Amino acid sequence: MSTTPASGRDLSLALERVVRMVREVSTAGDISPTSATVLGVLARAGAQRVTDLARIAGVSQPAMTQLVNRLTQQGMLARVADDADRRAVLVEITDTGREVIEARRGQRAGALDAALARVSAEDRAAIAAALPALDRLVDAVLDS
């Protein structure tokens, strides 16, 4: 086993491949990666303003408004009043949206379970051991 510390470049390349794999195996709901990001954020964090969703997803506010309109028409999102500011509107995920997110997670879990079954027990143990550190790394990046 290598004792060379991971570099940002090495980690970036590995994570790019992981993200590509996740996108390729996540097809439930026939939605775009940006739509999946929005549904995931709303499922985890609760109702958000369109401007905040646009910032998180890295798209313009008009583009996010169009996406929210489309997902609302498909029954995956709903607009609700903001209790803190009655003039504002929040977007929240619906049960239909949650079902799509859960189906996508199930697809990813199935693909990863199948892949894990094809790698050595040593690799599975190394991957399991790395998960807490990866969570802390993500927190360090997102909290900065």
Side-chain angles (χ1 to χ4, degrees):
M1 188 187 255
S2 174
T3 58
T4 305
S7 72
R9 180 172 175 74
D10 293 340
L11 185 56
S12 177
L13 291 171
L15 292 175
E16 285 173 15
R17 294 186 69 216
V18 169
V19 168
R20 189 182 86 217
M21 180 272 308
V22 165
R23 285 184 175 160
E24 287 179 8
V25 302
S26 301
T27 59
D30 194 28
I31 59 174
S32 69
T34 304
S35 296
T37 296
V38 168
L39 292 174
V41 165
L42 294 172
R44 280 187 306 279
Q48 303 283 318
R49 291 180 181 215
V50 170
T51 53
D52 294 330
L53 290 172
R55 180 185 46 76
I56 292 166
V59 299
S60 68
Q61 184 175 349
M64 183 55 63
T65 298
Q66 288 179 346
L67 179 62
V68 166
N69 288 342
R70 191 168 45 256
L71 293 174
T72 299
Q73 291 170 349
Q74 294 171 347
M76 292 185 226
L77 299 181
R79 287 182 170 85
V80 296
D82 183 347
D83 291 335
D85 180 354
R86 298 307 267 169
R87 298 168 296 169
V89 174
L90 299 175
V91 179
E92 68 181 7
I93 191 169
T94 64
D95 289 342
T96 300
R98 286 185 198 286
E99 290 169 7
V100 168
I101 287 298
E102 287 306 313
R104 293 171 72 83
R105 286 182 181 141
Q107 286 177 322
R108 288 192 301 268
L112 288 168
D113 284 340
L116 286 167
R118 293 190 307 267
V119 301
S120 70
E122 182 180 70
D123 281 349
R124 287 192 303 275
I127 291 165
L131 293 177
L134 285 171
D135 276 341
R136 290 188 298 274
L137 177 65
V138 170
D139 289 342
V141 169
L142 295 179
D143 293 341
S144 61

